[in-house]
């Protein structure tokens, strides 16, 4: 139980806080790169609101649009070029995790000695000076709005990997739950599975000793997502539901939740392979994998941890034999994801077959999060990953 | 549910982290003011450990010792003088809340246009540039190690008031649970009552709407203190207990716990008067006041909030009529503080009589936290404060 904690991101939470956007940007300068995705912000009016806000404040902005759901390193590189050519002072990311992660890639690369963010991903150059990032969050899911990580995809190599560095943590994030009213049911459900998997991956599903208080707080965040996702699915404009999910997203993966735990985020490691080869929605991939991961790793050591999740968060009956309780927990989680959240339950539903399972297993055990194997609550070797993928077909 | 969140303090948590102390101080410069209290750090070896660490790192330090449990503005002013005469670069506070609060007073005053911190308390001068503060925490209680407040006492005026400003938040805090092994039973119990009262005062006992997730997390912090205080009292060297209490102390009063709630911290407002006139231990005063405050304010509106505390944190039976449940909650809290924690239950146990109750009530309703009255879960006028004090005699 030894750790360092610091999270410097400033958050404006609630509606009508965008009046603070221009003043915050002007702290860094007058030239901004506006980064966004497929254009949903043009449909829902957010683009107009923000750009008129920038214009009225004398901020000159350049645009990088079309950031992919799994952001490509090539898109990052385009942003780097714009920043360098125009002496940009700050990046304004308006979107979900992919837009923010793309912005983080740009931020890390602009002052480096390469044009290609993938050189940083591969560790050829260090991350040093970075461009400040301000975010306007449009999707409750990744926690990227308050954390130090960026996940990027190289589709030439079929590798989804990333950057982790304190200097790419957003300086300021705007979180207005009302902005997420227009998020689709599918993205809402996938986002919620992503939030829960952060708790699972970074801390809750662990064999390391943690402070009791933190494990209990992790469960409260899980219960928040379990409670409010169905409400948001039924009524997309329920402010309480959207607010709780948004703040849960930011805290599930900001440093407070995993004080002292250092382990492989197993579910993310495996899911990144699915997205790298098949470009699927990250949270949905996690939802499919998680119950099968739990079923696969049940043994005397892991069962009590898994069963605790069931009893405390998923209404699984207490007092059972732990392995039986753990199996029922995996079933209850599957029911939550595939019935309550309404997500399709199989990789084959996403057009995935078993042809790449071996290479995926190899890559994830030897990529960003693995050292030949993946180690958290359980330790997985390549053959184990293949089995879990097969169970998920 | 609209708020701004940012907490920039960097925390090193765990034992054997003091190797980072000198490097962190050297980020600010080579001249440090070492601030501490009555000398317990000389008895337990911490003083020697820290000063030899400073010497070996080429850090020149000056000392301000003897900071009082309720730190005096005159002590702060002494520290200001030392800093100015020696061009101090940073303040190193080694102690609990009083030592840290004294350091915050010094930090705020050094670059101001007055020699007297009380001029800042009275708002005659603004807080602008401040001296960086690094803390080594020796008592789990006030949360001052991660927050923006400082409570100071002017014994000439019998006023306990304070400063609140982002610029006096500590830059770095060292939290080693083992350092608190030597804290006495009385200070441990009083500190725990202080931690709980922060949750009560800043957020939990409120009529404002909060995010469900946050209220549930507040309860987890309360339950942490309720669980681990008896363990620490029985076995002062229980690492788990001391670690949970320490991290609970930092989070009970750092901005995360009260996102969006703005109210008078009623219990603190009243207790500050007790300490201002009688120089008692802050946490003990809070423990005596709280059950009586709860008993006094029970009505149809407040009872469900109070009763929820009982059911979720204090083993009070659910399903009762809310006002009856709220009364049982106050009783259960009194039992916790006065039997389990072992604190004397009455103001008269501390040598306090009713002679100053009217002036105290007047002062707290018109001081730092009041605008003629105090308003949180209930609204208290001067006569109400007098009644609560009488119930606590």
């Amino acid at each position: 139980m030894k750790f360092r904690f610091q999270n410097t991101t400033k958050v404006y939470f609630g509606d009508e806080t965008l009046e603070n956007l221009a003043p915050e940007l002007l702290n860094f300068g007058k030239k901004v790169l506006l980064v966004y995705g497929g254009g949903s912000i043009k449909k829902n009016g957010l683009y107009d609101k923000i750009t008129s806000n920038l214009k009225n404040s004398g901020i000159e902005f350049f645009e990088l649009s079309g950031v992919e759901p799994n952001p490509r390193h090539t898109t990052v590189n385009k942003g780097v070029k714009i920043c360098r050519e125009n002496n940009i002072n700050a990046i304004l990311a308006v979107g979900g995790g992919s837009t923010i992660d793309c912005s983080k890639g740009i931020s890390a690369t602009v002052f480096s000695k390469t044009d290609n963010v993938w050189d940083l991903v591969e560790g050829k150059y260090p991350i040093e000076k970075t461009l400040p990032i301000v975010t306007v969050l449009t999707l409750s899911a990744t926690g990227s709005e308050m954390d130090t990580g960026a996940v990027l995809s190289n589709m030439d190599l079929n590798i989804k990997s990333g950057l982790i560095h304190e200097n790419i943590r957003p300086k300021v994030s705007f979180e207005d739950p009302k902005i997420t009213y227009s998020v689709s049911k599918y993205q809402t459900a996938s986002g919620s599975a992503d939030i829960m998997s952060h708790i699972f991956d970074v801390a809750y599903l662990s064999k390391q000793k943690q402070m009791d208080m933190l494990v209990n707080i992790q469960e409260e965040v899980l219960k928040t997502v379990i409670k409010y996702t169905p409400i948001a699915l039924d009524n997309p404009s329920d402010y309480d539901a959207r607010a709780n999910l948004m703040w849960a997203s930011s805290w599930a993966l900001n440093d407070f939740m995993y004080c002292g735990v250092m382990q492989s985020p197993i579910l993310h490691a495996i899911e990144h392979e699915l997205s790298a080869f098949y470009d699927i929605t990250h949270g949905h991939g996690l939802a499919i994998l998680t119950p099968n991961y739990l079923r696969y790793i049940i043994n005397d050591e892991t069962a009590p941890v898994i069963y605790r999740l069931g009893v405390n968060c998923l209404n699984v009956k207490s007092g059972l034999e732990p392995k039986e309780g753990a199996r029922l927990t995996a079933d209850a989680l599957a029911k939550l994801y595939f019935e309550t959240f309404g997500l399709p339950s199989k990789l084959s539903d996403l057009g995935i077959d078993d042809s790449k399972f071996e290479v995926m297993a190899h890559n994830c055990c030897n990529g960003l999060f693995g050292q030949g194997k993946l180690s958290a609550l359980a330790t997985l070797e390549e053959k184990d990953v293949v089995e879990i993928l097969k169970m998920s077909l």
Side-chain angles (χ1 to χ4, degrees), chain A:
Chain A
M1 289 201 284
K2 193 164 163 175
F3 57 85
R4 211 186 89 170
F5 172 87
Q6 185 176 36
N7 191 324
T8 52
T9 304
K10 183 195 289 182
V11 176
Y12 289 92
F13 194 99
D15 58 338
E16 306 303 329
T17 57
L18 282 180
E19 65 204 27
N20 300 293
L21 178 60
E24 289 289 352
L25 286 167
L26 287 168
N27 286 333
F28 305 114
K30 290 199 152 193
K31 289 178 129 189
V32 166
L33 177 67
L34 173 63
V35 181
Y36 56 98
S40 65
I41 65 166
K42 290 202 171 167
K43 282 184 218 127
N44 68 15
L46 188 59
Y47 175 89
D48 288 342
K49 196 167 177 179
I50 286 174
T51 53
S52 70
N53 190 322
L54 298 180
K55 283 175 200 157
N56 292 339
S57 308
I59 293 173
E60 185 183 5
F61 63 94
F62 301 80
E63 297 193 27
L64 177 70
S65 63
V67 175
E68 305 82 3
N70 290 302
R72 311 294 197 259
H73 75 295
T74 48
T75 308
V76 173
N77 294 342
K78 278 187 209 163
V80 171
K81 193 158 178 283
I82 302 174
C83 288
R84 287 180 176 167
E85 287 173 356
N86 299 286
N87 297 311
I88 295 293
N89 306 117
I91 303 172
L92 173 57
V94 182
S98 50
T99 294
I100 300 171
D101 284 2
C102 175
S103 302
K104 287 174 172 174
I106 299 168
S107 161
T109 312
V110 166
F111 298 112
S112 77
K113 288 179 182 157
T114 175
D115 298 332
N116 185 0
V117 66
W118 209 252
D119 287 340
L120 302 182
V121 171
E122 292 183 340
K124 291 184 189 159
Y125 296 92
I127 298 178
E128 289 169 331
K129 186 182 170 192
T130 57
L131 259 184
I133 298 167
V134 174
T135 86
V136 177
L137 188 64
T138 64
L139 178 68
S140 302
T142 70
S144 189
E145 62 274 13
M146 254 183 123
D147 83 0
T148 60
V151 178
L152 303 170
S153 292
N154 184 324
M155 299 315 267
D156 306 331
L157 304 174
N158 287 124
I159 294 180
K160 187 166 172 175
S161 186
L163 305 169
I164 299 175
H165 199 282
E166 184 60 43
N167 295 359
I168 56 175
R169 195 193 291 276
K171 300 293 183 206
V172 188
S173 284
F174 289 84
E175 302 194 16
D176 175 357
K178 288 188 178 171
I179 290 179
T180 63
Y181 285 178
S182 57
V183 173
S184 71
K185 279 186 199 301
Y186 177 69
Q187 289 298 339
T188 298
S190 298
S192 289
D194 193 19
I195 299 171
M196 291 178 65
S197 75
H198 291 143
I199 302 276
F200 293 152
D201 252 358
V202 298
Y204 190 79
L205 296 178
S206 177
K207 58 183 168 196
Q208 291 174 41
K209 186 167 170 49
Q210 298 184 65
M211 262 184 272
D212 219 32
M213 180 175 86
L214 293 175
V215 182
N216 294 335
I217 289 176
Q218 289 157 19
E219 287 177 347
E220 292 303 342
V221 180
L222 289 170
K223 288 193 278 184
T224 300
V225 180
I226 292 167
K227 173 178 175 182
Y228 282 108
T229 302
I231 297 173
L233 292 173
D234 277 352
N235 178 9
S237 302
D238 187 296
Y239 187 85
D240 281 359
R242 294 297 194 179
N244 275 279
L245 290 175
M246 194 167 235
W247 207 214
S249 138
S250 295
W251 284 82
L253 194 60
N254 93 23
D255 319 49
F256 179 50
M257 231 33 84
Y258 53 99
C259 291
V261 178
M262 290 283 285
Q263 65 181 19
S264 310
I266 285 185
L267 298 163
H268 278 72
I270 305 177
E271 197 295 318
H272 286 177
E273 299 305 318
L274 295 171
S275 290
F277 281 90
Y278 296 97
D279 204 14
I280 66 170
T281 298
H282 174 57
H284 188 187
L286 289 163
I288 295 172
L289 291 170
T290 307
N292 294 312
Y293 166 65
L294 294 180
R295 287 173 184 130
Y296 185 78
I297 65 166
I298 292 170
N299 61 33
D300 288 337
E301 188 190 14
T302 63
V305 177
I306 299 169
Y307 184 28
R308 177 184 164 148
L309 168 70
V311 172
N312 290 352
C313 303
L314 294 162
N315 286 319
V316 176
K317 204 168 73 173
S318 63
L320 303 173
E321 187 276 320
K323 283 191 276 193
E324 174 61 11
R327 276 187 286 274
L328 291 175
T329 299
D331 292 347
L333 188 65
K335 197 172 169 201
L336 178 79
Y337 285 159
F338 310 133
E339 294 181 25
T340 312
F341 288 12
L343 291 167
S345 65
K346 296 172 177 165
L347 294 179
S348 52
D349 295 327
L350 294 168
I352 296 174
D353 61 31
D354 63 1
S355 59
K356 306 250 167 42
F357 284 180
E358 276 77 16
V359 61
M360 286 178 184
H362 177 77
N363 288 357
C364 73
C365 287
N366 297 280
L368 184 62
F369 301 123
Q371 294 82 34
K373 50 195 177 181
L374 300 167
S375 188
L377 178 58
T379 298
L380 302 186
E381 298 178 3
E382 292 183 29
K383 65 176 172 46
D384 303 308
V385 174
V386 170
E387 286 307 312
I388 292 165
L389 287 166
K390 281 185 183 164
M391 290 166 72
S392 307
L393 253 189

